Amino acid sequence: MGKTTTSASIGTGLAQRGHKTVIIDFDVGLRNLDLIMGCERRVVYDFVNVINGEANLKQTLIKDKRVDNLYILPASQTRDKDALTQEGVEKVLDELSEDFDFIVCDSPAGIERGAQMALYFADMAIVVTNPEVSSVRDSDRILGILQSKSRKAEKGEVVEEKLLVTRYNPERVVEGEMLSVEDVKEILAIDLLGVIPESEAVLKASNQGSPVILDADSNSGQAYTDAVGRLFGEEIEHRFLDVEKKGFFKRLMGA
Amino acid sequence: MSSSEVCFQLKGSNITSIVLEVKQYPSTEFLSQLQDKVSQAPQLFADSAVVISLEKFTSENTPVDFKPLIADCFEAGLHPMAFRSVGETLLDSVRTTGLPALPGAARSGSVQAHEEDNTPVADVTPSGDGEQVEMPLDTPAESETDVSESREVQVKTVIETRVEIQEKLVHRKAKIIERPVRGGQQIYAEGCDLIVLAQVSEGAEVLADGNIHIYAPLRGRALAGVKGDSNARIFCQQLEAELVSVAGIFILSDELKDKAWKQAAHIQLKDERLTIAQINDK
């Protein structure tokens, strides 16, 4: 669906702008973030070790080699989800917030414990959805949980919501095989942060262990850069929403 | 700490349930008809507790053996928890089933009274008969101008009591929801109207004892008058509902699609049937 890809790229984008950023992998048991960030070989301790007091943050955080100010807190591959306790997560987040400008929590899919822990302490949520009915419905569900079960909701406050549509393919929208951005916006009725076009660059980046935002030539990378800009209130027009018109030469070559 | 700890608490509470109004039994058709109905909205009925109402029940010969009826309910996935509106002649038949016989529906008396002055029922109905508000409210005030002095005092006291009643009715709170109601969420406005200023998503459910107003798309389920107020209505700015129901009588989206679909709509109960009208129909 693109949650981890998005966490990696948004986190990297924040750090590129000079903000000290940490990305936390909440998907205990699966562990994907370190692969996408290309630091899987450097994982010694993990999030659960920190919660259990078996390691401190300094030992556990992995500093990214490409971008300054960027750190990764990997998930554990072996332990079960119950290892994430609310008190434990809160303690780690409190400690991190002393040092970091941004904490990006990469939530697992679904509405289970891992996801609930990832969203509980959120000030802002970026809901990643694909332009298909089932995905949009799941996003609607998670938005409900966000506004009823998060710490802000318990205090009667509202968590800021942003919508990010990934794997967007304008050609398939025209064919009626995918929902359009307008459809998704209408169903979810939240602010649109960005639309990431479906692209091989995303797959290539994941396989190479490099967040796609660093691939500045790709339209996906550019779309993520735009999205990060919008997070800071910049007015950037949405791109890659329409079918690319093939130029005369391209048509001639049948490309 | 006292010598022994209390291990329970008895509390009064309201539970919304589905009422199964049985018209005749035994009947060979009963189970298949019930299963048919349940299959129309399996999610709504799944493992629901039901109260069996005998208000409209007719039978030539008593006693009636209700045990197979209860078994049929279980067969259809419903869980009967009590009988309601049991006539004297059937009381013994019901007792043998082991389920309690609850008093009849509370609505019958008061609902009529409110129809004319258009006053919603919420605060008054549950007590039973709501007789105290049945007099028309505006007549005494009009007649005040041309009564003789000697009668004025009397009239004034009447007006004062009227005003008191009126205030009581005017001061009806409504539950107001300003954020979207998302899939999986349920909002219940107990004893009052429900006003929702944002969308109700697919898979979400909004319920009220009174009316429901939704100033946005309604894509989920809306159930007004859940305690049986058949005068409750549903208003929404864009009708795309999965289900709408007033006083337990419901229709599903398939049927809604021919009527005011995606339009502003007004849903009410007329002669035990839901009518759907487009608002601002040009």
Side-chain angles (χ1 to χ4, degrees), chain A residues 137 140-141 143-144 147 158 161 186-188 190, chain B residues 179 182-185 199 201-203 219 238 240 242:
Chain A
R137 279 195 80 157
D140 186 74
R141 190 100 205 263
L143 282 164
Q147 300 302 359
V158 177
E161 309 165 324
E186 198 195 306
I187 297 171
L188 294 178
I190 63 173
Chain B
R179 306 258 333 150
R182 302 285 183 183
Q185 290 187 311
Q199 63 175 359
S201 297
E202 264 181 81
R219 302 194 177 101
Q238 194 176 321
E240 295 175 59
E242 292 171 309

mmCIF file with all atom_site columns, all heavy atoms in Angstrom, chain A residues 137 140-141 143-144 147 158 161 186-188 190, chain B residues 179 182-185 199 201-203 219 238 240 242:
data_model
loop_
_atom_site.group_PDB
_atom_site.id
_atom_site.type_symbol
_atom_site.label_atom_id
_atom_site.label_alt_id
_atom_site.label_comp_id
_atom_site.label_asym_id
_atom_site.label_entity_id
_atom_site.label_seq_id
_atom_site.pdbx_PDB_ins_code
_atom_site.Cartn_x
_atom_site.Cartn_y
_atom_site.Cartn_z
_atom_site.occupancy
_atom_site.B_iso_or_equiv
_atom_site.pdbx_formal_charge
_atom_site.auth_seq_id
_atom_site.auth_comp_id
_atom_site.auth_asym_id
_atom_site.auth_atom_id
_atom_site.pdbx_PDB_model_num
ATOM 1   N N   . ARG A 1 137 ? -11.917 2.589  2.222  1.00 0.00 ? 137 ARG A N   1
ATOM 2   C CA  . ARG A 1 137 ? -12.775 2.247  3.372  1.00 0.00 ? 137 ARG A CA  1
ATOM 3   C C   . ARG A 1 137 ? -11.954 1.975  4.622  1.00 0.00 ? 137 ARG A C   1
ATOM 4   O O   . ARG A 1 137 ? -12.317 2.384  5.723  1.00 0.00 ? 137 ARG A O   1
ATOM 5   C CB  . ARG A 1 137 ? -13.634 1.022  3.049  1.00 0.00 ? 137 ARG A CB  1
ATOM 6   C CG  . ARG A 1 137 ? -14.850 1.371  2.254  1.00 0.00 ? 137 ARG A CG  1
ATOM 7   C CD  . ARG A 1 137 ? -15.842 0.242  2.260  1.00 0.00 ? 137 ARG A CD  1
ATOM 8   N NE  . ARG A 1 137 ? -16.620 0.220  3.484  1.00 0.00 ? 137 ARG A NE  1
ATOM 9   C CZ  . ARG A 1 137 ? -17.813 -0.354 3.590  1.00 0.00 ? 137 ARG A CZ  1
ATOM 10  N NH1 . ARG A 1 137 ? -18.340 -0.955 2.572  1.00 0.00 ? 137 ARG A NH1 1
ATOM 11  N NH2 . ARG A 1 137 ? -18.462 -0.339 4.725  1.00 0.00 ? 137 ARG A NH2 1
ATOM 12  N N   . ASP A 1 140 ? -10.902 5.189  6.055  1.00 0.00 ? 140 ASP A N   1
ATOM 13  C CA  . ASP A 1 140 ? -12.010 5.831  6.761  1.00 0.00 ? 140 ASP A CA  1
ATOM 14  C C   . ASP A 1 140 ? -12.103 5.279  8.187  1.00 0.00 ? 140 ASP A C   1
ATOM 15  O O   . ASP A 1 140 ? -12.252 6.007  9.160  1.00 0.00 ? 140 ASP A O   1
ATOM 16  C CB  . ASP A 1 140 ? -13.306 5.552  5.996  1.00 0.00 ? 140 ASP A CB  1
ATOM 17  C CG  . ASP A 1 140 ? -14.499 6.284  6.557  1.00 0.00 ? 140 ASP A CG  1
ATOM 18  O OD1 . ASP A 1 140 ? -14.567 7.497  6.333  1.00 0.00 ? 140 ASP A OD1 1
ATOM 19  O OD2 . ASP A 1 140 ? -15.316 5.673  7.244  1.00 0.00 ? 140 ASP A OD2 1
ATOM 20  N N   . ARG A 1 141 ? -11.970 3.970  8.282  1.00 0.00 ? 141 ARG A N   1
ATOM 21  C CA  . ARG A 1 141 ? -12.029 3.281  9.579  1.00 0.00 ? 141 ARG A CA  1
ATOM 22  C C   . ARG A 1 141 ? -10.913 3.767  10.505 1.00 0.00 ? 141 ARG A C   1
ATOM 23  O O   . ARG A 1 141 ? -11.145 4.067  11.671 1.00 0.00 ? 141 ARG A O   1
ATOM 24  C CB  . ARG A 1 141 ? -11.872 1.793  9.269  1.00 0.00 ? 141 ARG A CB  1
ATOM 25  C CG  . ARG A 1 141 ? -12.135 0.862  10.394 1.00 0.00 ? 141 ARG A CG  1
ATOM 26  C CD  . ARG A 1 141 ? -13.514 0.259  10.328 1.00 0.00 ? 141 ARG A CD  1
ATOM 27  N NE  . ARG A 1 141 ? -13.913 -0.132 11.675 1.00 0.00 ? 141 ARG A NE  1
ATOM 28  C CZ  . ARG A 1 141 ? -13.783 -1.356 12.142 1.00 0.00 ? 141 ARG A CZ  1
ATOM 29  N NH1 . ARG A 1 141 ? -13.324 -2.309 11.386 1.00 0.00 ? 141 ARG A NH1 1
ATOM 30  N NH2 . ARG A 1 141 ? -14.123 -1.631 13.386 1.00 0.00 ? 141 ARG A NH2 1
ATOM 31  N N   . LEU A 1 143 ? -9.314  6.529  10.349 1.00 0.00 ? 143 LEU A N   1
ATOM 32  C CA  . LEU A 1 143 ? -9.558  7.926  10.729 1.00 0.00 ? 143 LEU A CA  1
ATOM 33  C C   . LEU A 1 143 ? -10.510 7.991  11.921 1.00 0.00 ? 143 LEU A C   1
ATOM 34  O O   . LEU A 1 143 ? -10.351 8.826  12.812 1.00 0.00 ? 143 LEU A O   1
ATOM 35  C CB  . LEU A 1 143 ? -10.145 8.705  9.550  1.00 0.00 ? 143 LEU A CB  1
ATOM 36  C CG  . LEU A 1 143 ? -9.139  9.134  8.481  1.00 0.00 ? 143 LEU A CG  1
ATOM 37  C CD1 . LEU A 1 143 ? -9.847  9.544  7.201  1.00 0.00 ? 143 LEU A CD1 1
ATOM 38  C CD2 . LEU A 1 143 ? -8.277  10.276 9.000  1.00 0.00 ? 143 LEU A CD2 1
ATOM 39  N N   . GLY A 1 144 ? -11.489 7.100  11.933 1.00 0.00 ? 144 GLY A N   1
ATOM 40  C CA  . GLY A 1 144 ? -12.412 7.038  13.069 1.00 0.00 ? 144 GLY A CA  1
ATOM 41  C C   . GLY A 1 144 ? -11.686 6.673  14.343 1.00 0.00 ? 144 GLY A C   1
ATOM 42  O O   . GLY A 1 144 ? -11.930 7.256  15.407 1.00 0.00 ? 144 GLY A O   1
ATOM 43  N N   . GLN A 1 147 ? -9.571  9.586  15.621 1.00 0.00 ? 147 GLN A N   1
ATOM 44  C CA  . GLN A 1 147 ? -10.297 10.679 16.284 1.00 0.00 ? 147 GLN A CA  1
ATOM 45  C C   . GLN A 1 147 ? -11.093 10.200 17.500 1.00 0.00 ? 147 GLN A C   1
ATOM 46  O O   . GLN A 1 147 ? -11.815 10.983 18.103 1.00 0.00 ? 147 GLN A O   1
ATOM 47  C CB  . GLN A 1 147 ? -11.222 11.392 15.305 1.00 0.00 ? 147 GLN A CB  1
ATOM 48  C CG  . GLN A 1 147 ? -10.511 12.021 14.120 1.00 0.00 ? 147 GLN A CG  1
ATOM 49  C CD  . GLN A 1 147 ? -9.434  13.043 14.476 1.00 0.00 ? 147 GLN A CD  1
ATOM 50  O OE1 . GLN A 1 147 ? -9.188  13.342 15.641 1.00 0.00 ? 147 GLN A OE1 1
ATOM 51  N NE2 . GLN A 1 147 ? -8.763  13.578 13.475 1.00 0.00 ? 147 GLN A NE2 1
ATOM 52  N N   . VAL A 1 158 ? -8.336  17.463 18.489 1.00 0.00 ? 158 VAL A N   1
ATOM 53  C CA  . VAL A 1 158 ? -8.429  16.827 17.179 1.00 0.00 ? 158 VAL A CA  1
ATOM 54  C C   . VAL A 1 158 ? -7.026  16.594 16.636 1.00 0.00 ? 158 VAL A C   1
ATOM 55  O O   . VAL A 1 158 ? -6.181  17.480 16.658 1.00 0.00 ? 158 VAL A O   1
ATOM 56  C CB  . VAL A 1 158 ? -9.228  17.720 16.209 1.00 0.00 ? 158 VAL A CB  1
ATOM 57  C CG1 . VAL A 1 158 ? -9.266  17.105 14.826 1.00 0.00 ? 158 VAL A CG1 1
ATOM 58  C CG2 . VAL A 1 158 ? -10.643 17.929 16.721 1.00 0.00 ? 158 VAL A CG2 1
ATOM 59  N N   . GLU A 1 161 ? -5.342  15.723 10.231 1.00 0.00 ? 161 GLU A N   1
ATOM 60  C CA  . GLU A 1 161 ? -5.392  14.603 9.288  1.00 0.00 ? 161 GLU A CA  1
ATOM 61  C C   . GLU A 1 161 ? -4.939  15.056 7.908  1.00 0.00 ? 161 GLU A C   1
ATOM 62  O O   . GLU A 1 161 ? -5.364  16.097 7.427  1.00 0.00 ? 161 GLU A O   1
ATOM 63  C CB  . GLU A 1 161 ? -6.832  14.099 9.147  1.00 0.00 ? 161 GLU A CB  1
ATOM 64  C CG  . GLU A 1 161 ? -7.534  13.811 10.436 1.00 0.00 ? 161 GLU A CG  1
ATOM 65  C CD  . GLU A 1 161 ? -9.045  13.677 10.257 1.00 0.00 ? 161 GLU A CD  1
ATOM 66  O OE1 . GLU A 1 161 ? -9.627  14.405 9.424  1.00 0.00 ? 161 GLU A OE1 1
ATOM 67  O OE2 . GLU A 1 161 ? -9.620  12.845 10.954 1.00 0.00 ? 161 GLU A OE2 1
ATOM 68  N N   . GLU A 1 186 ? -13.644 13.007 -1.842 1.00 0.00 ? 186 GLU A N   1
ATOM 69  C CA  . GLU A 1 186 ? -15.050 13.145 -1.481 1.00 0.00 ? 186 GLU A CA  1
ATOM 70  C C   . GLU A 1 186 ? -15.444 12.126 -0.416 1.00 0.00 ? 186 GLU A C   1
ATOM 71  O O   . GLU A 1 186 ? -16.181 12.443 0.518  1.00 0.00 ? 186 GLU A O   1
ATOM 72  C CB  . GLU A 1 186 ? -15.931 12.988 -2.723 1.00 0.00 ? 186 GLU A CB  1
ATOM 73  C CG  . GLU A 1 186 ? -17.325 13.549 -2.495 1.00 0.00 ? 186 GLU A CG  1
ATOM 74  C CD  . GLU A 1 186 ? -18.302 13.091 -3.542 1.00 0.00 ? 186 GLU A CD  1
ATOM 75  O OE1 . GLU A 1 186 ? -18.008 13.280 -4.733 1.00 0.00 ? 186 GLU A OE1 1
ATOM 76  O OE2 . GLU A 1 186 ? -19.351 12.539 -3.168 1.00 0.00 ? 186 GLU A OE2 1
ATOM 77  N N   . ILE A 1 187 ? -14.932 10.913 -0.534 1.00 0.00 ? 187 ILE A N   1
ATOM 78  C CA  . ILE A 1 187 ? -15.305 9.874  0.432  1.00 0.00 ? 187 ILE A CA  1
ATOM 79  C C   . ILE A 1 187 ? -14.690 10.171 1.802  1.00 0.00 ? 187 ILE A C   1
ATOM 80  O O   . ILE A 1 187 ? -15.335 10.015 2.831  1.00 0.00 ? 187 ILE A O   1
ATOM 81  C CB  . ILE A 1 187 ? -14.871 8.472  -0.068 1.00 0.00 ? 187 ILE A CB  1
ATOM 82  C CG1 . ILE A 1 187 ? -15.599 8.133  -1.371 1.00 0.00 ? 187 ILE A CG1 1
ATOM 83  C CG2 . ILE A 1 187 ? -15.170 7.414  0.991  1.00 0.00 ? 187 ILE A CG2 1
ATOM 84  C CD1 . ILE A 1 187 ? -15.092 6.880  -2.052 1.00 0.00 ? 187 ILE A CD1 1
ATOM 85  N N   . LEU A 1 188 ? -13.436 10.600 1.822  1.00 0.00 ? 188 LEU A N   1
ATOM 86  C CA  . LEU A 1 188 ? -12.759 10.766 3.114  1.00 0.00 ? 188 LEU A CA  1
ATOM 87  C C   . LEU A 1 188 ? -12.878 12.177 3.685  1.00 0.00 ? 188 LEU A C   1
ATOM 88  O O   . LEU A 1 188 ? -12.775 12.358 4.892  1.00 0.00 ? 188 LEU A O   1
ATOM 89  C CB  . LEU A 1 188 ? -11.282 10.385 2.980  1.00 0.00 ? 188 LEU A CB  1
ATOM 90  C CG  . LEU A 1 188 ? -11.025 8.901  2.681  1.00 0.00 ? 188 LEU A CG  1
ATOM 91  C CD1 . LEU A 1 188 ? -9.538  8.653  2.518  1.00 0.00 ? 188 LEU A CD1 1
ATOM 92  C CD2 . LEU A 1 188 ? -11.576 8.015  3.786  1.00 0.00 ? 188 LEU A CD2 1
ATOM 93  N N   . ILE A 1 190 ? -10.929 14.795 3.790  1.00 0.00 ? 190 ILE A N   1
ATOM 94  C CA  . ILE A 1 190 ? -9.811  15.394 4.530  1.00 0.00 ? 190 ILE A CA  1
ATOM 95  C C   . ILE A 1 190 ? -8.846  16.057 3.551  1.00 0.00 ? 190 ILE A C   1
ATOM 96  O O   . ILE A 1 190 ? -8.917  15.837 2.339  1.00 0.00 ? 190 ILE A O   1
ATOM 97  C CB  . ILE A 1 190 ? -9.053  14.380 5.441  1.00 0.00 ? 190 ILE A CB  1
ATOM 98  C CG1 . ILE A 1 190 ? -8.400  13.254 4.627  1.00 0.00 ? 190 ILE A CG1 1
ATOM 99  C CG2 . ILE A 1 190 ? -9.971  13.799 6.492  1.00 0.00 ? 190 ILE A CG2 1
ATOM 100 C CD1 . ILE A 1 190 ? -7.505  12.355 5.468  1.00 0.00 ? 190 ILE A CD1 1
ATOM 101 N N   . ARG B 2 179 ? -17.708 16.356 13.795 1.00 0.00 ? 179 ARG B N   1
ATOM 102 C CA  . ARG B 2 179 ? -16.666 15.672 13.022 1.00 0.00 ? 179 ARG B CA  1
ATOM 103 C C   . ARG B 2 179 ? -17.292 14.506 12.257 1.00 0.00 ? 179 ARG B C   1
ATOM 104 O O   . ARG B 2 179 ? -18.344 14.015 12.639 1.00 0.00 ? 179 ARG B O   1
ATOM 105 C CB  . ARG B 2 179 ? -15.587 15.124 13.978 1.00 0.00 ? 179 ARG B CB  1
ATOM 106 C CG  . ARG B 2 179 ? -15.005 16.170 14.905 1.00 0.00 ? 179 ARG B CG  1
ATOM 107 C CD  . ARG B 2 179 ? -13.661 16.681 14.505 1.00 0.00 ? 179 ARG B CD  1
ATOM 108 N NE  . ARG B 2 179 ? -12.880 15.741 13.733 1.00 0.00 ? 179 ARG B NE  1
ATOM 109 C CZ  . ARG B 2 179 ? -12.001 16.125 12.824 1.00 0.00 ? 179 ARG B CZ  1
ATOM 110 N NH1 . ARG B 2 179 ? -11.815 17.396 12.583 1.00 0.00 ? 179 ARG B NH1 1
ATOM 111 N NH2 . ARG B 2 179 ? -11.303 15.235 12.162 1.00 0.00 ? 179 ARG B NH2 1
ATOM 112 N N   . ARG B 2 182 ? -17.032 7.984  11.183 1.00 0.00 ? 182 ARG B N   1
ATOM 113 C CA  . ARG B 2 182 ? -16.317 7.098  10.262 1.00 0.00 ? 182 ARG B CA  1
ATOM 114 C C   . ARG B 2 182 ? -16.809 5.661  10.368 1.00 0.00 ? 182 ARG B C   1
ATOM 115 O O   . ARG B 2 182 ? -17.443 5.282  11.350 1.00 0.00 ? 182 ARG B O   1
ATOM 116 C CB  . ARG B 2 182 ? -14.817 7.129  10.597 1.00 0.00 ? 182 ARG B CB  1
ATOM 117 C CG  . ARG B 2 182 ? -14.188 8.515  10.541 1.00 0.00 ? 182 ARG B CG  1
ATOM 118 C CD  . ARG B 2 182 ? -13.994 8.968  9.112  1.00 0.00 ? 182 ARG B CD  1
ATOM 119 N NE  . ARG B 2 182 ? -13.318 10.265 9.038  1.00 0.00 ? 182 ARG B NE  1
ATOM 120 C CZ  . ARG B 2 182 ? -13.095 10.885 7.892  1.00 0.00 ? 182 ARG B CZ  1
ATOM 121 N NH1 . ARG B 2 182 ? -13.481 10.354 6.747  1.00 0.00 ? 182 ARG B NH1 1
ATOM 122 N NH2 . ARG B 2 182 ? -12.485 12.049 7.876  1.00 0.00 ? 182 ARG B NH2 1
ATOM 123 N N   . GLY B 2 183 ? -16.437 4.859  9.376  1.00 0.00 ? 183 GLY B N   1
ATOM 124 C CA  . GLY B 2 183 ? -16.804 3.445  9.365  1.00 0.00 ? 183 GLY B CA  1
ATOM 125 C C   . GLY B 2 183 ? -16.424 2.763  10.668 1.00 0.00 ? 183 GLY B C   1
ATOM 126 O O   . GLY B 2 183 ? -15.337 2.975  11.173 1.00 0.00 ? 183 GLY B O   1
ATOM 127 N N   . GLY B 2 184 ? -17.333 1.962  11.202 1.00 0.00 ? 184 GLY B N   1
ATOM 128 C CA  . GLY B 2 184 ? -17.039 1.261  12.460 1.00 0.00 ? 184 GLY B CA  1
ATOM 129 C C   . GLY B 2 184 ? -17.446 2.052  13.683 1.00 0.00 ? 184 GLY B C   1
ATOM 130 O O   . GLY B 2 184 ? -17.467 1.510  14.788 1.00 0.00 ? 184 GLY B O   1
ATOM 131 N N   . GLN B 2 185 ? -17.767 3.333  13.502 1.00 0.00 ? 185 GLN B N   1
ATOM 132 C CA  . GLN B 2 185 ? -18.176 4.125  14.658 1.00 0.00 ? 185 GLN B CA  1
ATOM 133 C C   . GLN B 2 185 ? -19.697 4.120  14.782 1.00 0.00 ? 185 GLN B C   1
ATOM 134 O O   . GLN B 2 185 ? -20.415 3.956  13.799 1.00 0.00 ? 185 GLN B O   1
ATOM 135 C CB  . GLN B 2 185 ? -17.692 5.565  14.517 1.00 0.00 ? 185 GLN B CB  1
ATOM 136 C CG  . GLN B 2 185 ? -16.193 5.694  14.666 1.00 0.00 ? 185 GLN B CG  1
ATOM 137 C CD  . GLN B 2 185 ? -15.749 7.145  14.694 1.00 0.00 ? 185 GLN B CD  1
ATOM 138 O OE1 . GLN B 2 185 ? -16.136 7.932  13.847 1.00 0.00 ? 185 GLN B OE1 1
ATOM 139 N NE2 . GLN B 2 185 ? -14.925 7.488  15.661 1.00 0.00 ? 185 GLN B NE2 1
ATOM 140 N N   . GLN B 2 199 ? -19.940 14.276 7.388  1.00 0.00 ? 199 GLN B N   1
ATOM 141 C CA  . GLN B 2 199 ? -20.454 13.076 6.746  1.00 0.00 ? 199 GLN B CA  1
ATOM 142 C C   . GLN B 2 199 ? -20.539 11.866 7.681  1.00 0.00 ? 199 GLN B C   1
ATOM 143 O O   . GLN B 2 199 ? -19.816 11.766 8.659  1.00 0.00 ? 199 GLN B O   1
ATOM 144 C CB  . GLN B 2 199 ? -19.557 12.724 5.581  1.00 0.00 ? 199 GLN B CB  1
ATOM 145 C CG  . GLN B 2 199 ? -18.148 12.397 6.037  1.00 0.00 ? 199 GLN B CG  1
ATOM 146 C CD  . GLN B 2 199 ? -17.288 11.926 4.879  1.00 0.00 ? 199 GLN B CD  1
ATOM 147 O OE1 . GLN B 2 199 ? -17.739 11.824 3.768  1.00 0.00 ? 199 GLN B OE1 1
ATOM 148 N NE2 . GLN B 2 199 ? -16.035 11.636 5.156  1.00 0.00 ? 199 GLN B NE2 1
ATOM 149 N N   . SER B 2 201 ? -19.888 8.065  7.249  1.00 0.00 ? 201 SER B N   1
ATOM 150 C CA  . SER B 2 201 ? -19.263 7.191  6.253  1.00 0.00 ? 201 SER B CA  1
ATOM 151 C C   . SER B 2 201 ? -19.953 5.846  6.140  1.00 0.00 ? 201 SER B C   1
ATOM 152 O O   . SER B 2 201 ? -20.685 5.432  7.037  1.00 0.00 ? 201 SER B O   1
ATOM 153 C CB  . SER B 2 201 ? -17.805 6.939  6.652  1.00 0.00 ? 201 SER B CB  1
ATOM 154 O OG  . SER B 2 201 ? -17.076 8.111  6.644  1.00 0.00 ? 201 SER B OG  1
ATOM 155 N N   . GLU B 2 202 ? -19.625 5.152  5.061  1.00 0.00 ? 202 GLU B N   1
ATOM 156 C CA  . GLU B 2 202 ? -20.062 3.759  4.913  1.00 0.00 ? 202 GLU B CA  1
ATOM 157 C C   . GLU B 2 202 ? -19.589 2.963  6.115  1.00 0.00 ? 202 GLU B C   1
ATOM 158 O O   . GLU B 2 202 ? -18.457 3.130  6.570  1.00 0.00 ? 202 GLU B O   1
ATOM 159 C CB  . GLU B 2 202 ? -19.401 3.152  3.673  1.00 0.00 ? 202 GLU B CB  1
ATOM 160 C CG  . GLU B 2 202 ? -20.262 3.192  2.445  1.00 0.00 ? 202 GLU B CG  1
ATOM 161 C CD  . GLU B 2 202 ? -19.540 2.548  1.279  1.00 0.00 ? 202 GLU B CD  1
ATOM 162 O OE1 . GLU B 2 202 ? -19.559 1.323  1.197  1.00 0.00 ? 202 GLU B OE1 1
ATOM 163 O OE2 . GLU B 2 202 ? -18.945 3.299  0.487  1.00 0.00 ? 202 GLU B OE2 1
ATOM 164 N N   . GLY B 2 203 ? -20.442 2.114  6.634  1.00 0.00 ? 203 GLY B N   1
ATOM 165 C CA  . GLY B 2 203 ? -20.049 1.296  7.778  1.00 0.00 ? 203 GLY B CA  1
ATOM 166 C C   . GLY B 2 203 ? -20.216 2.001  9.109  1.00 0.00 ? 203 GLY B C   1
ATOM 167 O O   . GLY B 2 203 ? -19.983 1.408  10.156 1.00 0.00 ? 203 GLY B O   1
ATOM 168 N N   . ARG B 2 219 ? -23.758 8.125  4.152  1.00 0.00 ? 219 ARG B N   1
ATOM 169 C CA  . ARG B 2 219 ? -23.385 6.915  3.410  1.00 0.00 ? 219 ARG B CA  1
ATOM 170 C C   . ARG B 2 219 ? -23.513 5.664  4.272  1.00 0.00 ? 219 ARG B C   1
ATOM 171 O O   . ARG B 2 219 ? -23.427 4.557  3.790  1.00 0.00 ? 219 ARG B O   1
ATOM 172 C CB  . ARG B 2 219 ? -21.948 7.021  2.898  1.00 0.00 ? 219 ARG B CB  1
ATOM 173 C CG  . ARG B 2 219 ? -21.719 8.220  2.003  1.00 0.00 ? 219 ARG B CG  1
ATOM 174 C CD  . ARG B 2 219 ? -20.408 8.136  1.239  1.00 0.00 ? 219 ARG B CD  1
ATOM 175 N NE  . ARG B 2 219 ? -20.271 9.263  0.344  1.00 0.00 ? 219 ARG B NE  1
ATOM 176 C CZ  . ARG B 2 219 ? -19.520 10.335 0.595  1.00 0.00 ? 219 ARG B CZ  1
ATOM 177 N NH1 . ARG B 2 219 ? -18.820 10.398 1.702  1.00 0.00 ? 219 ARG B NH1 1
ATOM 178 N NH2 . ARG B 2 219 ? -19.466 11.322 -0.264 1.00 0.00 ? 219 ARG B NH2 1
ATOM 179 N N   . GLN B 2 238 ? -27.376 14.678 1.544  1.00 0.00 ? 238 GLN B N   1
ATOM 180 C CA  . GLN B 2 238 ? -27.037 13.850 0.383  1.00 0.00 ? 238 GLN B CA  1
ATOM 181 C C   . GLN B 2 238 ? -27.276 12.394 0.770  1.00 0.00 ? 238 GLN B C   1
ATOM 182 O O   . GLN B 2 238 ? -26.535 11.827 1.561  1.00 0.00 ? 238 GLN B O   1
ATOM 183 C CB  . GLN B 2 238 ? -25.580 14.097 0.003  1.00 0.00 ? 238 GLN B CB  1
ATOM 184 C CG  . GLN B 2 238 ? -25.224 13.573 -1.359 1.00 0.00 ? 238 GLN B CG  1
ATOM 185 C CD  . GLN B 2 238 ? -23.799 13.925 -1.728 1.00 0.00 ? 238 GLN B CD  1
ATOM 186 O OE1 . GLN B 2 238 ? -23.295 15.010 -1.453 1.00 0.00 ? 238 GLN B OE1 1
ATOM 187 N NE2 . GLN B 2 238 ? -23.105 12.990 -2.334 1.00 0.00 ? 238 GLN B NE2 1
ATOM 188 N N   . GLU B 2 240 ? -27.060 8.704  0.496  1.00 0.00 ? 240 GLU B N   1
ATOM 189 C CA  . GLU B 2 240 ? -26.364 7.570  -0.135 1.00 0.00 ? 240 GLU B CA  1
ATOM 190 C C   . GLU B 2 240 ? -26.290 6.451  0.898  1.00 0.00 ? 240 GLU B C   1
ATOM 191 O O   . GLU B 2 240 ? -25.299 5.740  0.994  1.00 0.00 ? 240 GLU B O   1
ATOM 192 C CB  . GLU B 2 240 ? -24.941 7.963  -0.542 1.00 0.00 ? 240 GLU B CB  1
ATOM 193 C CG  . GLU B 2 240 ? -24.849 9.018  -1.621 1.00 0.00 ? 240 GLU B CG  1
ATOM 194 C CD  . GLU B 2 240 ? -23.409 9.434  -1.878 1.00 0.00 ? 240 GLU B CD  1
ATOM 195 O OE1 . GLU B 2 240 ? -22.584 8.575  -2.226 1.00 0.00 ? 240 GLU B OE1 1
ATOM 196 O OE2 . GLU B 2 240 ? -23.100 10.625 -1.704 1.00 0.00 ? 240 GLU B OE2 1
ATOM 197 N N   . GLU B 2 242 ? -26.699 3.228  3.487  1.00 0.00 ? 242 GLU B N   1
ATOM 198 C CA  . GLU B 2 242 ? -26.790 1.770  3.400  1.00 0.00 ? 242 GLU B CA  1
ATOM 199 C C   . GLU B 2 242 ? -28.146 1.306  3.920  1.00 0.00 ? 242 GLU B C   1
ATOM 200 O O   . GLU B 2 242 ? -28.692 0.315  3.480  1.00 0.00 ? 242 GLU B O   1
ATOM 201 C CB  . GLU B 2 242 ? -25.704 1.126  4.273  1.00 0.00 ? 242 GLU B CB  1
ATOM 202 C CG  . GLU B 2 242 ? -24.301 1.346  3.775  1.00 0.00 ? 242 GLU B CG  1
ATOM 203 C CD  . GLU B 2 242 ? -23.274 0.886  4.790  1.00 0.00 ? 242 GLU B CD  1
ATOM 204 O OE1 . GLU B 2 242 ? -23.361 1.283  5.967  1.00 0.00 ? 242 GLU B OE1 1
ATOM 205 O OE2 . GLU B 2 242 ? -22.380 0.137  4.411  1.00 0.00 ? 242 GLU B OE2 1
#
